[in-house]
Every structure is written in C-alpha cells, then in structure tokens.
Amino acid sequence: MTQAANTGIQEIPAPVVTAPRSSIGTRSLPRWAPVGFAAVALVLGVGTGALAGWHSRTQWGLFSALLFVVISYVTTSVVENRRQAKDRLATSIVWVCFLLAVVPLASLLWTTVSRGAGRLDGYFLTHSMAGVLGSEATGGVYHALIGTLEQVGLATLISAPLGMLTAVYLVEYGKGALAKAVTFFVDVMTGIPSIVAGLFILSIMLMTKTQPSGLMGSLALTILMIPVVVRSTEEMLKLVPNELREASLALGVPKWRTILKVVLPTALGGITTGVMLAIARIAGETAPIMLLVFGSQLINTNPFEGAQSSLPFYIWEQYKVGTEQSYDRAWAAALVLIAFVMILNLVARGIARWKAPKH
C-alpha cells in the first residue's frame, strides 16, 4: 500500500490542462475583402452593361451594386460561415444605400460648381439686372441676393420665436386636448405645399387690397418654417435629462426660470441646428415669391413696399429666358444659393459650440 493509503488521505488527480485550440485553421476573409468585392462587382457590372448595350451609366452602377451585395454574401458564406455572411450582407446593403444617397448629391454639387464658378465674380455679386437684356453677358444677382436675405431674415424673426415657444409649451406644459390639437396641426403643416401657403397669403392680400412686397413673401415662408422649428426644438427639449429640471426645481428656482436658464441652454445646439434646417427649407422656395413678391429687375432694399426678387426666382427667371448667357447666370445664382445655405450652417455650428454648456 502507498503512503497516502496508509495515512487515509485520498489522492486528488492533478487537473488536466488543455492546450488552447490553434486559430490557424480558422478561415476568415482579409480586411481588404470588401474593397476587392467592390472592384470585382464594378468590373463585372461595367462589362455586362457594355456587352448588353446599356447606354445609361446609372444602370451599370445599380447592377454593380447588386453584384457587390451578392458576391459579398456568397463569398463570406463559403469562406467563413452563414452568421458572418448575414452580417456582411447587412453591412453591404448599408454601404450601397449610403452611396445611392451620396452620389446624386456629389453629382449635383459638381455640376453646379463647374457650371456656375465661371460666371461668379465680384461684378456678378454687386450688380443687378436693371436694363440688361437676356442675350447680354452682363448683369448680376445683387438685387436677388438682397431680396433673399431680407425675406428669409423676416421669416426667421417671426417663426423662430413662435416655433420655440410652441415647442416649450408642448414639452414643458402641454397636456390634454389642447396639446394634442397643437401637435396634430403642426404635423399637418409640415406637409403643406409651398404653393398652398402662398395662396393663403394671397387671399389675405386680395381681401385687404395689399400690394406685393417682400413682407408678404416672408409671411408665406413663415408658414412653411414654423412646423420645422417646432418639431426640431421639441425633439431637442425632450433630450434634456429630467434630472437637470428636478435639481433646479429642488433649489427653489421657478419653472419658467429653469426653462430659460437650464433647459434651453442645454438644448441650444440642437435648436440652432433645427432653425438652420428650417432656413434651408425655405431659402429655395420659388412659388410663394412668384405669387406674392412678383420679382423685380431693380434693387429694392425695402421689404415692406414694392416688388422684390430672390435667388430662387432669379434662377427660374434666367432659365426661362433660354439664352446661353442667362443659363450661365442661372447656374451662378444656384451656386450663390448653395453657398448661402452652407455659410448659414457653419455660422449655426459656431454659435451652438460657443453657447453650449461647458462641462
């Protein structure tokens, strides 16, 4: 008998240490596999389109995108497993949708910049179309730029406070039937066509015998802008943590002061972005301006009296002329309008970052 048996102590077998499984045999695709799939799909899509006689490059791109999704799924299923293949399928669909959204935008920007940059200069920005014929290469966009700045500015001064106060009511105070009715009408106003807003203000003008002016166009733009401001501000206010409100109220601060000093500054970045989106929504409207402002070739800096022009109306007006010179002016004005919206967004981001609460 062994010594362990003599002492009555039972021997415990030593634990068996299993060597870790080597991952050398595990098959996986390299990191550059999606790029390779895209290249193969592009070559096959272009080749198939050329052989089939497809004249539209859009068809080539859509067929290449479909091939990219199929090749990614099939190859991943064969090399790795079905679970990874499903993940790769979802990722491929997301990338394809992203490209479908970005490519038209990039094409639009490229076309506008390439066709409008040649005509855009200091003379174009500082002169109007007074006394300029459609076939002449002179003339500028100054009168339309002034009209857009004044009309959009007035609409913003009216709609931004109204929209923000409405959103504050819905989030902080709104309960019962009145809040539901306000929410319903805001949702309805979000989908109102611009021509309907213009006709509404036009009917008021006809009843009161008011002459066309930039203010009338601003009122129509206000109708279009208010629901966007309300919705964006409402969502931003809902993101403010309730703990901030409760902490302020626990210190004895009145509710109105809590909203003014705590809630609104916390959501200021998102509110400013929402207002800029609303401005971008109305900056390109043409139908209300045609009905209520009438357009003018002269410089009119008074939005409360007389006809005015605007950048969208100027673009439509120049395109309607139909000459090569007017087309160049229309593309240059379109580039000015895009630059105007981009500058507004940059300013809004700067203000939001400056006024955001410091942590």
Side-chain angles (χ1 to χ4, degrees):
M1 298 179 68
T2 62
Q3 184 178 0
N6 294 331
T7 58
I9 300 176
Q10 185 178 1
E11 291 186 1
I12 300 176
V16 179
V17 179
T18 305
R21 180 179 296 180
S22 176
S23 59
I24 298 179
T26 303
R27 297 185 301 175
S28 62
L29 292 171
R31 293 182 177 271
W32 51 264
V35 179
F37 296 156
V40 173
L42 185 61
V43 171
L44 292 178
V46 172
T48 303
L51 293 176
W54 295 345
H55 300 289
S56 175
R57 294 183 179 180
T58 304
Q59 294 177 323
W60 297 7
L62 293 176
F63 187 67
S64 299
L66 179 61
L67 287 177
F68 170 71
V69 174
V70 173
I71 292 174
S72 300
Y73 179 76
V74 173
T75 306
T76 307
S77 299
V78 173
V79 176
E80 297 182 356
N81 52 60
R82 296 291 296 275
R83 182 178 180 181
Q84 293 295 330
K86 292 179 180 179
D87 179 75
R88 182 86 65 178
L89 176 64
T91 305
S92 301
I93 293 175
V94 169
W95 274 105
V96 168
C97 293
F98 170 75
L99 291 176
L100 289 178
V102 168
V103 168
L105 177 61
S107 176
L108 175 63
L109 291 176
W110 171 254
T111 303
T112 305
V113 172
S114 61
R115 300 196 61 173
R119 186 64 180 83
L120 184 61
D121 52 18
Y123 175 87
F124 183 75
L125 294 175
T126 56
H127 287 74
S128 67
M129 292 295 295
V132 179
L133 299 178
S135 58
E136 296 179 0
T138 57
V141 76
Y142 180 73
H143 62 299
L145 184 59
I146 292 297
T148 294
L149 290 174
E150 292 181 346
Q151 294 158 24
V152 172
L154 286 174
T156 304
L157 288 176
I158 299 172
S159 59
L162 290 177
M164 291 175 60
L165 291 175
T166 303
V168 169
Y169 166 75
L170 292 176
V171 176
E172 304 293 338
Y173 297 99
K175 294 180 181 179
L178 180 59
K180 293 181 180 179
V182 173
T183 303
F184 172 76
F185 283 111
V186 168
D187 292 337
V188 172
M189 290 178 62
T190 305
I192 290 180
S194 59
I195 189 66
V196 176
L199 289 174
F200 174 71
I201 301 299
L202 180 62
S203 63
I204 297 177
M205 290 175 57
L206 294 177
M207 290 187 295
T208 58
K209 297 182 180 179
T210 305
Q211 297 299 319
S213 64
L215 177 62
M216 297 297 104
S218 298
L219 294 178
L221 297 179
T222 300
I223 297 175
L224 301 174
M225 187 175 177
I226 285 178
V228 181
V229 176
V230 172
R231 272 289 168 233
S232 59
T233 305
E234 184 181 1
E235 294 302 323
M236 291 301 105
L237 294 178
K238 288 179 179 178
L239 293 178
V240 177
N242 287 327
E243 289 78 5
L244 295 179
R245 298 180 177 89
E246 295 171 355
S248 179
L249 295 174
L251 294 175
V253 180
K255 187 170 185 178
W256 68 269
R257 195 171 183 83
T258 299
I259 296 172
L260 187 62
K261 295 294 185 179
V262 177
V263 178
L264 289 179
T266 304
L268 182 61
I271 293 174
T272 306
T273 303
V275 172
M276 291 301 106
L277 290 176
I279 293 177
R281 160 78 170 84
I282 65 173
E285 292 294 343
T286 309
I289 307 303
M290 294 172 61
L291 288 174
L292 308 172
V293 187
F294 277 19
S296 175
Q297 304 290 338
L298 305 176
I299 299 174
N300 180 13
T301 58
N302 185 6
F304 302 100
E305 184 179 359
Q308 274 190 325
S309 185
S310 68
L311 288 174
F313 184 85
Y314 180 88
I315 295 170
W316 172 81
E317 189 179 44
Q318 293 301 313
Y319 185 81
K320 186 180 65 174
V321 173
T323 63
E324 183 178 354
Q325 293 78 9
S326 66
Y327 287 156
D328 292 338
R329 286 192 291 265
W331 282 108
L335 182 57
V336 172
L337 182 59
I338 293 176
F340 171 70
V341 175
M342 291 181 64
I343 292 173
L344 284 178
N345 279 275
L346 292 176
V347 171
R349 290 180 179 274
I351 295 175
R353 182 171 296 181
W354 175 42
K355 291 294 185 179
K358 302 299 186 295
H359 298 285

